[in-house]
Amino acid sequence: MPATKLPLFLGIDTGGTYTDAVLWSDATGVVAKAKALTTRHDLAVGISGAVDAVLEKAGVAPAQVKLVSMSTTLATNALVEGQGGRVALVMIGFSETDLDRDGLRTALGSDPVLFLPGGHDVHGNAAALDLHALEQALPELAGSVSGFAVCAYFAVRNAAHELAATALIRERTGLPVTASHELSAKLGGPRRALTTLLNARLISMIDRLVAATEGFLAERGIAAPLMVVRGDGALVSAAFARRRPIETILSGPAASLVGARHMTGLDDAVISDIGGTTTDVAVLDKGRPRLDPEGATVGGFRTMVEAVAMRTFGLGGDSEVTLEDGGLTPRILLGPRRLVPVSLAASTHAEAIIGVLARQARGGNPGRLDGRFAVRTGVPDHLAAGLSAAEQKLFSSVTPTPVALDQLLGSTAQAATLNRLVSRGLVHVIGFTPSDAAHVMGLQDNWNAEAAGLAATLFARRRDGRGQPIAADGAAISRRVLRALTRRSAEVILETAFAEDGLEGAPTVAHALVQRAVDGGGGIARLSVSLDRPVIGLGASAPLHYAALDGLVGNACVVPADTDVANALGAVVGQVRVTAQAQVTQPQEGLFRVSSTLGIADFRNEDAAFAEAERMVGTLIARRAAEAGADEAQIMVDRDVRAATVEGQRSFIEATVSATAAGRPRIAE
């Protein structure tokens, strides 16, 4: 069957700069791929642009698309930037001092919180519940919040009080309610409350994105299920994500790992994804991403959400290039700050950029600000409120057309002022970057190569500790910069490997060992380091910057053909995966208590308790798999029993019965 007649799957990824779309077929692989600029103010605009482009490129009918899957930065960005709806937090069985744990008070901010009597103990025994204060507060809260978050003491052992509160809130207000037991089965009330609070804030935002995306798909005649990538790389239905948006944090990095495994077939690898600003490094074990055992941290808050254990470094194609201070032969340093590449700026402001670079090149001596410019970012003027007099004066001198720093700055103090404007997001600094070096060497050609060459020549004129130029010409310094980027990429990959091996506690020693190994192990103590698994290089510039990586990390580096759209591909080839748990405890000798979100049950026989626990998780997992959009999911049940042996006699303590369901998502007929 020709590709144009096959059932097609559409993958979408909303990245920081671009939104990618991929059309995929089980029979032929990637059918077409396309990009559009990400529209942060309304992600659906960028999504529609990428989807329209990929459909046009493939020349297929929209009706052939049978599944749509999306990874999104919406939840991650919202938490990092402190966005989200105003919600009311209802805490049952807690006191106000609990707000001081796990950053809960900071996260709550000025949002309302109610403390109610109730909750349970570790075995699920209830304290007296009193909902009167909640009943009294609901009429006023209903008009001032977008939703509610409910967390009860030991709700993971008995959810009855959370269920009672959520039922009352829904009945009286009709607003969305998140209950903590729905999000996590882990103990730790304040952090579970934090996770619930953040989830409630995100519901309206993810709801708008899903509604806009579904509306766009319907307009294009795409009648296919919409799936969303979770932070652990699994897929869930859009309806599932609407209720639990917190689980979509870090979905982009998770999707890239799924895509990397699919493209390479490797089950064990270190995955390094290089972009313009950052490099993200994670580990693939036995076909699945390693997850953060402590829960994902986003926006400074440690949640209970299972997500990929990802390490991010300020290293990319647009990293700032500087020289190490001191020393006769200074090393090239990269990042962590991002600059606008000179070649990129000159692609829209050629006259302003090239004229200044040529003037500086004619000068007899190199200037410390040569090849540097400032330009406004284009944010609305009201975001510049609150500037100091010095900041306002300098900001007024920066225009939408690049201004040379040797003409803008008159003192070191003004350089510090400029850095503050950059931190506020009001000004971009333009300068020489690895992307410019790639243009000089003919390895990249999408921007202005003439400007890149002039900037490289100016950088090469800088002096070393002996007063000599650091490089013979622009080509020589460009080769050094590109080698430095590959070398630093090897360092961050090896640093991640050390951290995964538990050696992060001695960062200075580990970093020194990594540098020695990458430099070739020279010295009295000879040293070599190699990874036990290959590296998978992702990102549009990975073929360039990772070409010589294998010799530095001691293992192969695989760069897949479609590495530039790994996230979008991972979104469409992933699997649905959900879990459910039940606890078995022994409140007193000879009494076995089973607890889950379905309720609690007591037994005098351990085997009978386990049978009921397995029945409960079987019911829960079947329900969750259906809600998540799985088609014929495979279910596995596991027991984790904790017992002690005293004087030769086994004594049961507690147990967790877990079920996992995994399968491909349902597709349209």
Side-chain angles (χ1 to χ4, degrees):
M1 183 184 296
T4 55
K5 298 297 184 183
L6 290 170
L8 299 175
F9 305 144
L10 173 62
I12 304 167
D13 172 65
T14 59
T17 303
Y18 288 102
T19 294
D20 298 332
V22 168
L23 276 176
W24 168 269
S25 164
D26 284 338
T28 63
V30 174
V31 175
K33 55 187 179 181
K35 293 178 179 287
L37 286 172
T38 295
T39 46
R40 288 178 174 266
H41 65 283
D42 184 356
L43 293 178
V45 175
I47 289 171
S48 63
V51 172
D52 283 342
V54 80
L55 290 173
E56 181 179 357
K57 186 177 292 188
V60 299
Q64 288 176 236
V65 177
K66 302 301 181 183
L67 176 72
V68 181
S69 187
M70 172 174 61
S71 67
T72 173
T73 58
L74 180 65
T76 305
N77 291 345
L79 296 185
V80 168
E81 296 167 12
Q83 299 175 353
R86 185 173 189 264
V87 301
L89 174 62
V90 179
M91 300 190 72
I92 303 173
F94 293 91
S95 67
E96 187 164 350
T97 58
D98 289 306
L99 294 180
D100 296 318
R101 295 172 54 192
D102 296 299
L104 182 54
R105 188 183 297 277
T106 300
L108 184 65
S110 61
D111 286 4
V113 57
L114 281 79
F115 297 95
L116 306 178
H120 298 80
D121 64 16
V122 67
H123 298 297
N125 298 310
L129 174 65
D130 186 351
L131 298 178
H132 179 70
L134 175 62
E135 230 175 335
Q136 295 294 108
L138 284 178
E140 181 179 348
L141 289 174
S144 62
V145 300
S146 63
F148 289 81
V150 178
C151 184
Y153 206 71
F154 277 111
V156 295
R157 296 298 168 84
N158 190 331
H161 290 183
E162 283 193 356
L163 292 171
T166 56
L168 176 63
I169 293 169
R170 287 193 178 110
E171 176 189 341
R172 299 293 175 85
T173 70
L175 292 173
V177 189
T178 301
S180 76
H181 73 275
E182 298 170 337
L183 299 178
S184 177
K186 295 179 181 178
L187 298 176
R191 198 192 307 174
R192 199 171 65 254
L194 169 70
T195 305
T196 309
L197 172 69
L198 298 178
N199 187 84
R201 283 194 179 140
L202 293 170
I203 284 178
S204 61
M205 301 180 70
I206 203 79
D207 184 72
R208 288 194 298 272
L209 173 63
V210 169
T213 304
E214 288 178 334
F216 158 75
L217 295 173
E219 289 175 3
R220 297 300 188 275
I222 299 176
L226 176 61
M227 308 294 289
V228 180
V229 182
R230 277 195 326 208
D232 63 354
L235 302 181
V236 292
S237 68
F240 192 99
R242 272 176 151 146
R243 294 191 302 274
R244 300 163 75 154
I246 188 71
E247 296 186 6
T248 68
I249 57 176
L250 302 179
S251 75
S256 73
L257 269 68
V258 175
R261 178 179 182 270
H262 187 87
M263 288 187 287
T264 63
L266 295 172
D267 286 337
D268 299 289
V270 177
I271 297 175
S272 184
D273 188 348
I274 184 169
T277 306
T278 61
T279 293
D280 298 323
V281 187
V283 175
L284 193 65
D285 257 341
K286 300 179 178 63
R288 295 197 60 217
R290 280 194 185 178
L291 304 181
D292 190 331
E294 298 298 319
T297 300
V298 178
F301 299 116
R302 173 74 75 174
T303 70
M304 282 187 168
V305 177
E306 286 193 343
V308 172
M310 182 76 68
R311 294 173 65 84
T312 298
F313 301 86
L315 179 69
D318 301 343
S319 289
E320 180 177 20
V321 181
T322 56
L323 294 177
E324 183 181 36
D325 290 332
L328 294 179
T329 307
R331 292 168 54 237
I332 297 289
L333 302 179
L334 299 174
R337 185 167 74 162
R338 175 190 181 270
L339 301 185
V340 176
V342 172
S343 53
L344 173 57
S347 65
T348 54
H349 299 284
E351 186 174 345
I353 296 288
I354 293 176
V356 169
L357 294 176
R359 170 181 62 78
Q360 294 172 342
R362 290 192 298 269
N365 296 310
R368 62 185 181 87
L369 298 177
D370 283 356
R372 292 283 181 112
F373 302 80
V375 65
R376 290 200 180 196
T377 60
V379 300
D381 288 343
H382 72 269
L383 294 179
L387 295 179
S388 66
E391 290 167 346
Q392 184 60 56
K393 181 180 179 181
L394 186 62
F395 183 57
S396 64
S397 300
V398 181
T399 67
T401 300
V403 180
L405 293 195
D406 65 356
Q407 297 173 332
L408 179 69
L409 304 181
S411 66
T412 302
Q414 280 193 310
T417 302
L418 177 64
N419 287 335
R420 291 196 296 273
L421 294 176
V422 172
S423 298
R424 285 280 302 269
L426 301 174
V427 173
H428 286 315
V429 172
I430 300 165
F432 183 59
T433 68
S435 295
D436 297 307
H439 278 80
V440 173
M441 301 308 298
L443 301 172
Q444 192 173 334
D445 61 2
N446 47 323
W447 300 325
N448 192 306
E450 181 185 1
L454 287 168
T457 299
L458 289 170
F459 199 90
R461 297 197 316 174
R462 297 193 181 192
R463 306 298 186 184
D464 61 17
R466 294 180 292 265
Q468 299 298 313
I470 61 171
D473 53 31
I477 193 61
S478 294
R479 283 192 291 270
R480 283 184 60 187
V481 167
L482 293 177
R483 284 198 300 268
L485 180 53
T486 301
R487 179 186 184 278
R488 180 60 184 145
S489 296
E491 289 180 3
V492 302
I493 290 169
L494 291 173
E495 285 175 23
T496 299
F498 272 109
E500 289 291 327
D501 287 341
L503 299 177
E504 196 173 14
T508 303
V509 175
H511 183 69
L513 293 175
V514 166
Q515 288 190 325
R516 174 73 65 83
V518 172
D519 285 336
I524 297 174
R526 300 181 64 85
L527 177 70
S528 65
V529 176
S530 61
L531 298 174
D532 72 338
R533 61 197 69 199
V535 174
I536 301 175
L538 301 180
S541 63
L544 166 61
H545 299 308
Y546 291 171
L549 194 65
D550 50 358
L552 300 176
V553 299
N555 212 315
C557 180
V558 180
V559 179
D562 294 306
T563 184
D564 56 328
V565 290
N567 292 26
L569 186 59
V572 79
V573 300
Q575 285 197 328
V576 175
R577 184 177 180 276
V578 289
T579 60
Q581 287 186 348
Q583 306 292 329
V584 182
T585 59
Q586 191 172 201
Q588 61 189 55
E589 186 69 30
L591 177 66
F592 299 91
R593 174 163 293 169
V594 182
S595 59
S596 75
T597 56
L598 294 178
I600 60 174
D602 291 337
F603 298 87
R604 291 294 178 182
N605 179 278
E606 182 178 336
D607 291 338
F610 274 107
E612 174 62 11
E614 292 188 358
R615 184 198 69 80
M616 282 186 175
V617 296
T619 300
L620 285 170
I621 203 66
R623 181 187 303 168
R624 289 180 185 174
E627 292 174 348
D631 185 23
E632 298 181 0
Q634 293 184 332
I635 297 176
M636 296 181 61
V637 179
D638 182 56
R639 294 183 182 182
D640 180 13
V641 181
R642 290 171 289 284
T645 301
V646 180
E647 296 182 352
Q649 297 293 316
R650 175 183 176 277
S651 177
F652 175 86
I653 300 174
E654 64 176 4
T656 300
V657 178
S658 304
T660 302
R664 286 288 291 156
R666 289 187 296 271
I667 66 173
E669 295 184 1

